[in-house]
Amino acid sequence: MKPILIFILALWTVPFWMGAQNLLPPIHNYKIFEYQADSKNWGLSANSEGELFVANNSGLLHFNGEKWKLYKLPNKTTIRSVAHIDGKIYTGSYEEFGYWTKNKLGVLDYTSLTHLIKNHVFTSEEFWQILPYGDAILFRSFNGIYVLRNDKIAVIDPPFVVTFISIYKNKILVAGGHKRLYELIDEALIPLEEHELLSDKVIIAMADINEGLLIGTKRNGCYIMTEKEIVPFEISINAQLKQYQLNQILSLSGNKLAFGTIKNGIYLYDLGNKTSQRLNRQVGLQNNTVLSMMQYKEQLWVGLDNGIDRIQLNNPLTYYTDYTGAVGTVYDLAVHENVLYMGSNTGIYYFTNDSLQFVEGSQGHVWDLNVTHGELFCGHNTGTYRVNKKSIEKISTISGGYQIVKVPESNTSFIQGTYIGLAKYEKDANGKWVVTPIAGMDKMVKYLCFEDTHTLWAAHPYKGLYRIVLNDTYDEVIEKIEFTTEQIPTNYNVKVYNIRNQIAFDIEGIWYRYDPILKKIELFKEFQNYNHKSLIHHDNAFFWFIDNQGSKEVLYTDLKEINFVLDDIQLQERLAPEAENIIKLNDSIYCFTLNDGFGQLDLFKFRERLEDFELPKPKLVSFEDGQNPYPLVNELFHVPYNVSHDITVNVSSPSLVQPKYHFELYGPMDQAADIENGVIRFQNLPFGNYELNVSTIRIDNERSDPKTIQFEIAPPWYLSKVSMVMYLLAFIGVVFLIRWYNRQKLEKKHLKLKERFHREQEERLAKQEKEKLEKEIKQKQKELARTTMNMADKNKIIIELKDLLMVNKNQFTNHKRYGSIIKKLDNSINDEGDWKHFEVNFKELHEDFFENLLKKYPKLTPKDLKLCAYLKMNLSSKEIAPLMAITNRGVEIHRYRLRKKLKIESSENLSNFLIKFN
């Protein structure tokens, strides 16, 4: 009950001026370069989700809420009609009609139906209308009606031109010929009662309304047909419909009608309150020739001769636009005595009977309109004026009237910022305004607010911020403190506000506050969430901000629970930078100043619609990798790793105007963000399983239920399942190979150990053999040496004995006996048996020594060989002499001769040569 009472009060507050100006709903233009097709759009249709299908000269246009796409017929002909029926998009063209369906990739494929027509030849026909009726679908050309039912087509070929067909009270009515309508029953046209009012009139449209069947004619306006009669449709715009050539009629929700004309756009007519609105090229349509219309929820789609427009019906935000350019940029609005006034850079305007009037004498820049003490004040470039509809009266000659504020605890005193400082306004006892410049402040003041009854903050429009204390009579500054860059980041373009009894500043987009105890300016912590947002209006309960860094969205908040964003393209594009202003006209109506008019928001209606509105879940339009799209029927998208570096997910919410989305990605890499164009791109995601949740966002930041999209990025080939199996097999192979290798290695090691054992055994045996041989050799060497020494000792003794005998020769009486003894001694010295024994032992130690020596030195004698043998044993000449039974001198001579035979240099040792000789 409470919202209803609030709404009724709002209606009683300003009943006159709300209807005193032509406030029109937002119109969004889709231009040719946006949808990339021909200019003419003959038909419109939408599915339950809001996807738009357009019959265009170039083909079938499809708009999913985010992107346009053109589909051409196989014969490339113009499409004249379109209708979405039971999941299929039927189209009519030149001698062709059929339907389109989406394939698994979300792309429309065409199926022709003309092959179902039997025993009929087209006569240069185009199909202008498609109408469902029960289990049948009707296709209308000027030459006839084609009824599709159960995969069969029946052709109704009347003898007149068929201009329109309509369903009325479950009957198919056909307009054609003159003077009458026809009813299609089965396959026959049954004429209805003839009416003179329809005589010689071309019926171009019909619509079922509460009053009956509305019949629209080409040049003669509209008529109403009831069960009893046909009468003219008496509405205020009937004359305009005749003048501008009616072309389309559409019954709208809310007991309203839309009339499309050839020459003057659209007329919206409210059957309840008998009021109308005109939408044409002057107020935002791209073209005045309306070829088609279609309503989807609160959106009116319009197909024009040049473009496509979308009109937001029953929108709480409406606009007044001055297309003449005479008004210029609007700076302020005010309602005084139920008249809405508008101040711009060209003067003051007001509205009378839906027409804009100029206040004479107000030429120039208007900064401020303010109802002060029951009178309308205008802060003007040339001074300050008191305004009424017919004239203005200057009450202050001080140039440049900016903001004017009431002095606290006073009902008759006001302070105004001007080009040259501050001015005091006070009403005397006679009701006359007395304006006094305030002494002590000669700087331009644009923004001002009171801190207390005598302390005033003032900001220069460009450079300067001041804290001013006024005297008791408010006509003189007794204290002025200027804040410079030593106390604040900058003193350029500072804006000052009193927010809930705190002095706040917007300095370079950052919010600060004044601490009266510390007497310094510090960060305004409670407002840090609103940095880079300009405060346009506030009443200490609610605050209006404009985002200066983004798309100039308008934010409405109570700083606690209530937060919503007014995101309208027209509003964002038409707000004038540094001149944005929001004016509260009553508890429900707010106005926005624009660069070519103003916008008006019914806040109550806005919040009411917001509460009733249920956000739709986004729709998946396409899923694409770096190369190809994927079938949308998949529950899980499998993306190969080599094309996963760039994944694009396209979503849409065609039922919304300017939808925004929020997505959250969960998987090996998590992401989350808000997006505005329905395109979500992921680059270089690691492989693994992902879940993508996409929601639409309402203007109060509430989110819809998410659309869940699951996809899997395959691992790289070297980490794929096949590779893993290969790796496992390879691992097993490597294990077996290692085992085989180890076994081979072990066997080799065993073999080596065995060989080593045998080798060591052989070496040990060889060593033992060698040691044995060495022992034997040493033994033989000892034996040879002993034998040699024995021979030498024996020969020495014999020689000594012989020498002794020869010395005592004369003592022997028997010379013969003496000679025999000497001979025996000589034979003992040259005993061949001793030599043979020596030779055997020597050859055992030095095998083939004599043979090799003789082979190399064949001239050696046996005596030479003996000497060589003794020298090889490293015997000295002294030791050799007895063995050879010669003197030492004889040995030396023999050695000399041997050296010659062996051709050994005198510097080389003969014994060493023979020792080394083998």
Side-chain angles (χ1 to χ4, degrees), residues 497 499-500 502-505 510-514 521-531 543 559:
Y497 308 87
I499 298 176
R500 296 176 179 175
Q502 293 191 81
I503 301 302
F505 311 92
I510 308 299
W511 283 97
Y512 296 84
R513 62 180 287 275
Y514 177 72
I521 294 176
E522 60 186 15
L523 281 176
F524 196 173
K525 294 181 181 179
E526 292 84 350
F527 260 50
Q528 292 308 294
N529 289 335
Y530 303 97
N531 285 339
F543 298 79
L559 306 180

Coordinates of all heavy atoms in Angstrom, one line a residue, residues 497 499-500 502-505 510-514 521-531 543 559:
Y497 N 31.4 20.8 -1.0 CA 30.1 20.4 -0.7 C 30.0 20.3 0.9 O 31.0 20.1 1.6 CB 29.8 19.0 -1.2 CG 30.0 18.8 -2.7 CD1 31.3 18.4 -3.2 CD2 29.0 19.0 -3.6 CE1 31.5 18.2 -4.5 CE2 29.2 18.8 -5.0 CZ 30.5 18.4 -5.4 OH 30.7 18.2 -6.7
I499 N 28.3 17.8 3.2 CA 27.7 16.5 3.1 C 27.5 16.0 4.6 O 28.5 15.8 5.3 CB 28.6 15.5 2.4 CG1 28.7 15.9 0.9 CG2 28.0 14.1 2.5 CD1 29.7 15.0 0.1
R500 N 26.2 16.0 5.0 CA 25.9 15.6 6.4 C 26.7 16.3 7.4 O 27.4 15.7 8.3 CB 26.0 14.1 6.5 CG 25.1 13.3 5.6 CD 25.3 11.8 5.6 NE 24.3 11.1 4.7 CZ 24.3 9.8 4.5 NH1 25.2 9.1 5.0 NH2 23.4 9.3 3.7
Q502 N 29.5 17.8 7.1 CA 30.9 17.7 6.9 C 31.3 18.4 5.6 O 30.6 18.3 4.6 CB 31.4 16.3 6.8 CG 31.3 15.5 8.1 CD 32.1 14.2 8.0 OE1 33.3 14.1 8.2 NE2 31.3 13.1 7.8
I503 N 32.3 19.2 5.6 CA 32.8 19.9 4.4 C 33.6 19.0 3.6 O 34.7 18.5 4.1 CB 33.5 21.2 4.7 CG1 32.7 22.2 5.6 CG2 34.0 21.9 3.5 CD1 31.4 22.6 4.9
A504 N 33.2 18.7 2.4 CA 33.9 17.7 1.6 C 34.3 18.4 0.3 O 33.8 19.3 -0.2 CB 32.9 16.5 1.2
F505 N 35.4 17.8 -0.3 CA 36.0 18.4 -1.5 C 36.3 17.3 -2.5 O 36.7 16.2 -2.1 CB 37.4 19.1 -1.1 CG 37.3 20.0 0.0 CD1 37.6 19.5 1.3 CD2 37.0 21.3 -0.1 CE1 37.6 20.4 2.4 CE2 36.9 22.2 1.0 CZ 37.2 21.7 2.2
I510 N 39.6 12.8 -6.2 CA 39.8 12.2 -4.9 C 39.0 13.0 -3.9 O 39.0 14.2 -3.9 CB 41.3 12.1 -4.5 CG1 42.1 11.5 -5.6 CG2 41.4 11.3 -3.2 CD1 41.7 10.1 -6.0
W511 N 38.3 12.3 -3.0 CA 37.5 12.9 -2.0 C 38.3 13.2 -0.7 O 38.9 12.3 -0.2 CB 36.3 12.0 -1.7 CG 35.2 12.1 -2.8 CD1 35.0 11.3 -3.8 CD2 34.3 13.2 -2.9 NE1 34.0 11.7 -4.6 CE2 33.5 12.9 -4.1 CE3 33.9 14.3 -2.2 CZ2 32.5 13.7 -4.5 CZ3 32.9 15.1 -2.6 CH2 32.2 14.8 -3.8
Y512 N 38.1 14.4 -0.2 CA 38.8 14.9 1.0 C 37.7 15.5 1.9 O 36.6 15.9 1.4 CB 39.9 15.9 0.7 CG 41.0 15.4 -0.1 CD1 41.0 15.3 -1.5 CD2 42.2 15.0 0.6 CE1 42.0 14.8 -2.2 CE2 43.3 14.5 -0.2 CZ 43.2 14.4 -1.5 OH 44.2 13.9 -2.2
R513 N 38.0 15.7 3.2 CA 37.1 16.4 4.1 C 38.0 17.4 5.0 O 39.2 17.2 5.1 CB 36.4 15.4 5.0 CG 37.4 14.6 5.9 CD 36.6 13.6 6.7 NE 35.9 14.2 7.8 CZ 36.5 14.5 9.0 NH1 37.8 14.2 9.2 NH2 35.8 15.1 10.0
Y514 N 37.3 18.3 5.5 CA 37.9 19.3 6.4 C 37.7 18.9 7.9 O 36.6 18.6 8.3 CB 37.4 20.7 6.2 CG 38.0 21.7 7.1 CD1 39.3 22.2 7.0 CD2 37.2 22.3 8.2 CE1 39.8 23.1 7.8 CE2 37.7 23.2 9.0 CZ 39.1 23.6 8.9 OH 39.6 24.6 9.7
I521 N 42.9 19.7 5.9 CA 42.1 18.9 4.9 C 42.7 17.5 4.8 O 44.0 17.4 4.6 CB 42.1 19.6 3.6 CG1 41.3 20.9 3.7 CG2 41.5 18.6 2.5 CD1 41.3 21.7 2.4
E522 N 41.9 16.4 5.0 CA 42.4 15.1 5.0 C 41.5 14.2 4.1 O 40.4 14.6 3.7 CB 42.5 14.5 6.4 CG 41.1 14.5 7.1 CD 41.2 14.1 8.5 OE1 42.3 14.1 9.1 OE2 40.1 13.7 9.1
L523 N 41.9 13.0 3.8 CA 41.1 12.1 3.0 C 39.8 11.8 3.7 O 39.7 11.6 4.9 CB 41.9 10.7 2.8 CG 43.0 10.7 1.8 CD1 43.6 9.3 1.8 CD2 42.4 11.0 0.4
F524 N 38.8 11.8 2.8 CA 37.4 11.5 3.3 C 37.2 9.9 3.1 O 36.9 9.4 2.1 CB 36.4 12.2 2.4 CG 35.0 12.3 3.0 CD1 34.0 13.1 2.4 CD2 34.7 11.6 4.1 CE1 32.8 13.1 2.9 CE2 33.4 11.6 4.6 CZ 32.4 12.4 4.0
K525 N 37.5 9.2 4.2 CA 37.6 7.8 4.1 C 36.3 7.2 3.7 O 36.2 6.2 3.0 CB 38.1 7.2 5.4 CG 39.5 7.6 5.8 CD 39.9 7.0 7.1 CE 41.4 7.4 7.5 NZ 41.8 6.8 8.8
E526 N 35.2 7.7 4.2 CA 33.9 7.1 3.9 C 33.5 7.2 2.4 O 32.6 6.6 1.9 CB 32.8 7.8 4.7 CG 32.9 7.5 6.2 CD 33.8 8.4 6.9 OE1 34.6 9.1 6.2 OE2 33.9 8.4 8.2
F527 N 34.2 8.1 1.7 CA 33.9 8.4 0.3 C 35.0 7.9 -0.7 O 34.9 8.1 -1.9 CB 33.7 9.9 0.0 CG 32.3 10.4 0.0 CD1 31.4 10.0 1.0 CD2 31.8 11.1 -1.0 CE1 30.1 10.4 1.0 CE2 30.5 11.6 -1.0 CZ 29.6 11.2 0.0
Q528 N 35.9 7.1 -0.2 CA 37.0 6.6 -1.1 C 36.5 5.7 -2.2 O 37.1 5.5 -3.2 CB 38.1 5.9 -0.3 CG 38.9 6.9 0.6 CD 39.4 8.1 -0.2 OE1 40.2 8.0 -1.1 NE2 38.9 9.3 0.2
N529 N 35.3 5.0 -1.9 CA 34.7 4.2 -3.0 C 34.2 5.0 -4.1 O 33.8 4.4 -5.1 CB 33.6 3.3 -2.4 CG 34.2 2.2 -1.4 OD1 35.4 1.8 -1.6 ND2 33.4 1.7 -0.5
Y530 N 34.1 6.3 -3.9 CA 33.5 7.1 -5.0 C 34.5 8.1 -5.6 O 34.2 9.1 -6.1 CB 32.3 7.9 -4.4 CG 31.3 7.0 -3.7 CD1 31.3 6.7 -2.4 CD2 30.4 6.4 -4.5 CE1 30.3 5.9 -1.8 CE2 29.4 5.5 -4.0 CZ 29.4 5.3 -2.6 OH 28.5 4.4 -2.1
N531 N 35.8 7.7 -5.4 CA 36.8 8.5 -6.1 C 36.6 8.4 -7.6 O 36.2 7.4 -8.2 CB 38.2 8.0 -5.8 CG 38.6 8.4 -4.4 OD1 38.1 9.3 -3.8 ND2 39.6 7.6 -3.8
F543 N 22.5 10.1 -3.0 CA 23.5 10.8 -3.7 C 23.6 10.3 -5.2 O 23.4 9.1 -5.4 CB 24.9 10.5 -3.1 CG 25.0 11.0 -1.6 CD1 24.4 10.2 -0.6 CD2 25.7 12.2 -1.3 CE1 24.5 10.7 0.7 CE2 25.8 12.6 0.0 CZ 25.2 11.8 1.0
L559 N 24.6 5.3 0.0 CA 25.9 5.0 0.6 C 25.9 3.7 1.5 O 26.9 3.4 2.2 CB 26.4 6.2 1.5 CG 26.5 7.5 0.8 CD1 27.1 8.6 1.8 CD2 27.4 7.4 -0.4

